[in-house]
Amino acid sequence: MRWSQTLIPTLKETPAEAEILSHQLLLRAGLVRKLTGGLYTFLPLGLRSLRKIERIVREEMDRAGALEVSMPALQPPEIWQQSGRYETAADVLYKVKDRARKEWVLGPTHEEVITSLAAGEISSYRQMPRNFYQIGLKFRDEIRPRFGLMRAKEFIMKDAYSFDVSDDAAMASYHKMYDAYARIFARCGLKAFAVEADTGVIGGNYSHEFMVPAETGENDVAYLEDGSYAANIEKASSRGPLLPTPSVSTGATPELFATPGVVTIEALAAAPYSVHGVAQIKTLVYWVNGKPALCLLRGDDQANEAKLAGCFGTTVFRAATSDEIFGVLGAHPGSLGAVNMPGASTGVPIYADLALRGAKGMTTGANQDGFHLRHVDIERDVKAIQWSDLRTVRVGELSVGSGLPIKIQRAIEVGHVFKLGTKYSEKMGATYLAEDGQRRPCVMGCYGIGVTRTLQAVIEQCNDKDGIRWPLNVAPYQVLITPLGGAGTAAMKAAEDLYAALQSRGIEVLLDDRDERPGVKFKDADLVGIPLRVGIGEKSLAKGEIELKPRGGALTLCPVADAETRVAEWIKQQAT
RNA sequence: CGGAGCGUAGCUCAGCCUGGCUAGAGCACUUGCUUUGGGAGCAAGACGUCGCAGGUUCAAAUCCUGUCGCUCCGACCA
């Protein structure tokens, strides 16, 4: 491609709308343009990279034995009602109406569609295992689109769905996808790693997210230096907080004391009260299915809502409002506690974090504004506690297994593999006749890769102060020829010859044939980040030489006659 | 939805607080001349519903109200 014949609108200045580096480079290198928040047009250069990622994904999915299909983005709401997600996923569903005022749904994902396909087409154990995938647009009514392609209303996802006869067979399908994902991200030039992920209400232990370490990511990952453990912070657990919880009883019974105006853990930890966070019980109230539920944590701990969802058995819950809380406990946030709950609140489930097990001599709210209780022994003074791991792990805590200290790193989630089980197949009638003549639900798995997000993750990971440094496999072009001389010069002529020669070898080459000053061409070349630049200047050309300059590497000279083979060799060498 | 901020030329922004005459700069764009190894110089030119609507005023980019949009922080996800 000739630069002058395509559209590569590079920007010298950073658009104000772009906060993070990869978003800025996406715009500055002329890869995408925004239509409106969360919706982007891919320009020729950006589209080429996107297609390369798609091709890698497609090759690896095919290699893993998955079958490519294409499912409708526009879907009938009935199948969503059937799966139960018309309500539970309501906040991300785009809904549209046709002329007859019938409602339709724009698919945020395709479990319902693929399961209804399987319900119709898979009827025997002989037809499994099967894994169907597609690469296409997904629509999500994101509360807040942000960071360019990272979180958009419309994005390209590779989604795959496996169907198996048993749990064991489903695990085999799962591991195939896991391995395929590792290959995909490696081929994209990404340093990605798998972490244990929260399985939410579906349960089970089999869900991994593929993460790209990046400070701009939206996830926190807990991991161990030796690589033996890595988990999303939502899932991660430890041996518990580093500072021990008081476990010696004062012998006294709970005693009311006045704490006017004290409504935070910090305030109670300060003078004159000086009750350390480890000796406080934090009481949180959630609203689950229209009913209250209490969550008790040590004062210095943070609740982990993914873990709470596991306790509640649903992801549809929220923090109770101040008014709701007052109605239940007779006090406002800051003075709440599970000891001596008023009569109206009996029957409210109480979930407590394991770090509080055996806690004695604790201080907590008295359910009376402006008062707290001291000398609380939790197991003596609070009834009907359901114990569970509810806290968010912190840096430095010891891991459950090896006891090594936990580290925490920000990361971008680019892929997710999930063993679904029979949740959808049961609801949607995707059953088969087994060898023994029994009818059973198919055991499913689902596997997603955010393709557009992966593209941006590559940019986030591969750049320097001058611009993008594309990995060869996903670069829009492999080679950029930069002649330093206008039309009719010897440099341009040599560039044209090399351009034709490389093209005939099947090398993807971009020729900067613009009548621009060298400085402009160099700056654009660095910004756009093509892996290998061939510089052809009048001076070196007079000596029979041209320049080879890998992006971010050292410049070498090479005889004009050898240029074609040297470029081809370089590419071959990089590809291995 | 809660909190914060911003909407002025294609892009980056000044002007607004303290209302005033023809709304500005840099970059980009067009033409000409010069220049030509790291985002050139000179000259000429084109480009604006000052987000939109209403109000206050002799007078509004500027003050007030409403509204729409965007960005950032929080709750969701690939």
Side-chain angles (χ1 to χ4, degrees), chain A residues 55 80 84 97 143 166 169 189 226 229 233 260 337 347 405 495-496 555:
Chain A
R55 195 175 76 196
W80 287 83
K97 282 192 174 135
I143 304 162
S166 69
D226 70 355
Y229 177 74
I233 199 83
E496 291 277 0
L555 186 147

Side-chain angles (χ1 to χ4, degrees), chain A residues 309-329:
Chain A
C311 287
F312 298 156
T314 174
T315 55
V316 186
F317 66 88
R318 59 175 173 80
T321 65
S322 190
D323 288 348
E324 286 167 345
I325 291 170
F326 189 80
V328 175
L329 295 176

Side-chain angles (χ1 to χ4, degrees), chain A residues 10 83 87 170 212 220 291 313 322 372 381 451 518 526 560 574:
Chain A
T10 57
S83 71
E87 281 80 28
V212 173
D220 279 313
K291 283 183 283 193
S322 190
H372 279 77
D381 300 325
V451 178
D526 289 343
V560 180
Q574 295 297 307

Side-chain angles (χ1 to χ4, degrees), chain A residues 243-531:
Chain A
L243 294 173
T245 306
S247 59
V248 178
S249 179
T250 59
T253 50
E255 175 194 3
L256 198 67
F257 67 107
T259 51
V262 172
V263 292
T264 62
I265 300 291
E266 293 71 33
L268 196 58
Y273 310 103
S274 303
V275 181
H276 194 284
V278 303
Q280 297 189 44
I281 301 173
K282 180 190 285 188
T283 307
L284 303 174
V285 184
Y286 288 87
W287 216 246
V288 188
N289 294 325
K291 283 183 283 193
L294 253 55
C295 165
L296 307 184
L297 290 159
R298 210 173 76 173
D300 58 335
D301 277 336
Q302 292 293 314
N304 183 320
E305 298 206 343
K307 292 177 180 176
L308 278 171
C311 287
F312 298 156
T314 174
T315 55
V316 186
F317 66 88
R318 59 175 173 80
T321 65
S322 190
D323 288 348
E324 286 167 345
I325 291 170
F326 189 80
V328 175
L329 295 176
H332 290 100
S335 303
L336 308 178
V339 184
N340 299 331
M341 285 167 61
S345 60
T346 51
V348 174
I350 300 171
Y351 300 93
D353 181 66
L354 295 172
L356 289 174
R357 193 115 213 200
K360 294 189 171 78
M362 304 294 283
T363 299
T364 187
N367 285 334
Q368 189 178 336
D369 284 349
F371 290 90
H372 279 77
L373 290 174
R374 57 167 78 105
H375 308 312
V376 172
D377 293 0
I378 192 164
E379 293 183 58
R380 178 191 68 194
D381 300 325
V382 182
K383 305 292 175 241
I385 291 178
Q386 301 181 55
W387 296 97
S388 188
D389 175 23
L390 298 174
R391 62 189 292 278
T392 302
V393 301
R394 284 190 303 234
V395 175
E397 290 174 5
L398 306 182
S399 70
V400 174
S402 60
L404 286 170
I406 286 173
K407 300 199 164 196
I408 293 179
Q409 156 90 255
R410 293 289 281 178
I412 300 165
E413 181 189 354
V414 288
H416 197 166
V417 293
F418 201 119
K419 194 181 132 202
L420 279 176
T422 56
K423 174 183 168 167
Y424 292 95
S425 49
E426 280 174 19
K427 283 188 170 144
M428 308 197 64
T431 59
Y432 69 99
L433 271 184
E435 211 168 353
D436 59 8
Q438 294 291 306
R439 181 161 295 277
R440 298 201 185 94
C442 300
V443 184
M444 294 174 59
C446 68
Y447 317 94
I449 290 179
V451 178
T452 37
R453 181 182 283 184
T454 298
L455 175 71
Q456 191 168 342
V458 170
I459 298 171
E460 187 68 32
Q461 204 170 69
C462 308
N463 65 72
D464 61 20
K465 66 175 172 48
D466 296 314
I468 302 172
R469 292 175 59 172
W470 286 112
L472 187 65
N473 284 344
V474 294
Y477 291 91
Q478 297 169 310
V479 179
L480 171 66
I481 303 175
T482 309
L484 304 177
T489 61
M492 187 61 83
K493 166 117 192 13
E496 291 277 0
D497 290 346
L498 182 61
Y499 175 62
L502 293 176
Q503 276 194 322
S504 68
R505 279 179 177 252
I507 291 169
E508 298 165 323
V509 50
L510 180 64
L511 172 63
D512 191 351
D513 60 340
R514 295 175 300 170
D515 192 10
E516 284 287 357
R517 302 166 60 83
V520 173
K521 292 191 175 188
F522 290 141
K523 288 291 187 189
D524 271 349
D526 289 343
L527 181 57
V528 165
I530 306 300

Side-chain angles (χ1 to χ4, degrees), chain A residues 31-101:
Chain A
L31 304 173
V32 302
R33 281 293 180 267
K34 183 174 75 172
L35 174 63
T36 182
L39 298 172
Y40 288 83
T41 297
F42 276 85
L43 301 180
L45 224 48
L47 186 62
R48 287 186 66 95
S49 280
L50 184 66
R51 292 288 180 248
K52 289 201 168 179
I53 294 174
E54 288 179 1
R55 195 175 76 196
I56 290 169
V57 169
R58 188 169 279 120
E59 285 174 6
E60 293 300 334
M61 293 305 289
D62 290 345
R63 183 209 292 264
L67 306 165
E68 188 168 11
V69 296
S70 178
M71 294 181 261
L74 196 61
Q75 304 174 10
E78 288 78 8
I79 57 175
W80 287 83
Q81 281 152 356
Q82 202 179 342
S83 71
R85 289 209 294 184
Y86 188 77
E87 281 80 28
T88 56
D91 38 349
V92 298
L93 279 184
Y94 272 114
K95 293 167 186 172
V96 295
K97 282 192 174 135
D98 65 15
R99 282 173 295 182
R101 301 184 54 78

